[in-house]
Amino acid sequence: MASRLIDEDPELAHEHALAASRSAGRIAIVRETLGITAYATGDFALALRELRTYRRISGNDDQIALMVDSERGIGRPDRALETGRSVDRSTLDTPVRVALAIAMSGARLDQGDLELALGELEIPELDPDRAFEWSPALFAARAAVLEDLGRDEEAAFWARRADVAAEALGVDEAGDEEIIVEDGLIEDEFLDDDVLDEVEPAQGAEETAPTSEDEEVEDEDGAGEESADSDDAESTDIEPEPTVEDEVRELLGEDEDEHSDAAASDEQSGDEDRD
């Protein structure tokens, strides 16, 4: 219940956590929840006490950043830095390590050490071209320190990166999934509508345009049709070659003509003799 209410009503969430601690005060998650809700309501002394108890019971350092911030809230930046240095950062999960770097930078700011505050944020996760769940807070913290240092152009750059990372993570609901922050989103943000209107017809034209393979197939089909038409035309213009029977009949025809001519000549000779 407390986890569901802490963003909307931290006071009510804290009351639920207090009730739970009265009946289950030896359970680590109960002490952790009470420490978180106390921090949300601004009761930093109670938050620090409960988070220390949680750390002792569980053996986990995953709330170390809140402990550092709670020390800052009490007004003890020196103790905050000591608390942050008491853990091995290489053993921490990445979100915890980033949160601790931001808290340590805040403690340096409390002491007035601006350069050291900036140095606390120089961690491998400070990549302006990639965004994770922790990136918006990290980028914004760096922008704030740079602004305090009077480096306004750099501060504006990192503030813009923080905004873009937050927008990307909010739209995609990526959690700890990596998001690539393109330079185009920083420089131009989004394409104008006129550019999109020009791009879409071009894409449609590409989809309807025939490929080279289709053109080759059409050429082959056209060539085949032309070949068939030409063959039909040639077959109608060229007389078929005579068969063997045609040649025999032709020869016989020639013989019959010769025979009939000879018979006619003999008959004419006979008539002359009778005369």
Side-chain angles (χ1 to χ4, degrees), residues 10-227:
E11 295 288 347
L12 182 57
H14 186 52
E15 292 178 8
H16 282 282
L18 283 170
S21 67
R22 295 188 191 103
S23 58
R26 294 182 178 274
I27 299 177
I29 192 172
V30 173
R31 306 304 289 266
E32 178 188 26
T33 303
L34 181 56
I36 293 172
T37 57
Y39 176 86
T41 59
D43 190 346
F44 299 114
L46 177 61
L48 184 59
R49 188 190 72 190
E50 295 301 319
L51 292 174
R52 283 175 175 171
T53 303
Y54 161 72
R55 183 185 185 186
R56 185 173 63 253
I57 295 174
S58 67
N60 294 329
D61 290 319
D62 51 349
Q63 297 299 339
I64 188 66
L66 285 188
M67 294 174 64
V68 172
D69 258 347
S70 296
E71 290 283 10
R72 291 181 58 208
I74 297 173
R76 301 186 299 198
D78 295 340
R79 292 286 299 274
L81 293 172
E82 291 178 7
T83 301
R85 287 193 293 263
S86 66
V87 299
D88 183 2
R89 297 193 188 189
S90 64
T91 63
L92 301 176
D93 293 337
T94 303
V96 178
R97 186 167 59 252
V98 173
L100 177 58
I102 295 172
M104 295 289 282
S105 178
R108 295 290 188 184
L109 287 176
D110 293 342
Q111 292 181 330
D113 296 329
L114 298 183
E115 291 293 344
L116 292 178
L118 187 64
E120 293 286 353
L121 300 174
E122 297 291 342
I123 57 178
E125 290 76 17
L126 188 70
D127 187 345
D129 296 326
R130 286 176 170 78
F132 298 84
E133 61 176 340
W134 59 81
S135 298
L138 180 60
F139 295 166
R142 183 173 176 82
V145 176
L146 288 168
E147 186 176 1
D148 290 342
L149 286 168
R151 295 156 62 174
D152 295 336
E153 291 185 4
E154 294 178 70
F157 170 82
W158 285 101
R160 181 60 185 148
R161 287 291 183 177
D163 291 340
V164 170
E167 290 173 5
L169 292 168
V171 170
D172 295 338
E173 298 181 355
D176 59 354
E177 185 175 339
E178 178 181 359
I179 298 293
I180 304 300
V181 182
E182 299 291 348
D183 289 337
L185 293 177
I186 301 299
E187 301 293 337
D188 302 326
E189 293 191 3
F190 302 101
L191 291 174
D192 295 335
D193 294 337
D194 296 338
V195 177
L196 291 176
D197 292 339
E198 293 176 0
V199 172
E200 290 176 357
Q203 292 176 347
E206 291 179 359
E207 294 177 358
T208 57
T211 61
S212 59
E213 295 180 357
D214 295 336
E215 292 175 353
E216 291 177 0
V217 172
E218 290 178 359
D219 292 341
E220 292 177 359
D221 294 340
E225 293 176 358
E226 292 177 0
S227 177

Side-chain angles (χ1 to χ4, degrees), residues 194-268:
D194 296 338
V195 177
L196 291 176
D197 292 339
E198 293 176 0
V199 172
E200 290 176 357
Q203 292 176 347
E206 291 179 359
E207 294 177 358
T208 57
T211 61
S212 59
E213 295 180 357
D214 295 336
E215 292 175 353
E216 291 177 0
V217 172
E218 290 178 359
D219 292 341
E220 292 177 359
D221 294 340
E225 293 176 358
E226 292 177 0
S227 177
D229 294 340
S230 61
D231 290 343
D232 293 339
E234 291 176 359
S235 63
T236 55
D237 296 337
I238 300 174
E239 295 181 357
E241 294 183 0
T243 63
V244 176
E245 290 80 0
D246 293 336
E247 292 179 357
V248 171
R249 282 195 297 271
E250 186 178 355
L251 290 173
L252 290 175
E254 291 177 356
D255 292 342
E256 289 175 357
D257 291 340
E258 291 176 357
H259 180 70
S260 60
D261 292 340
S265 177
D266 292 341
E267 184 177 355
Q268 185 177 1

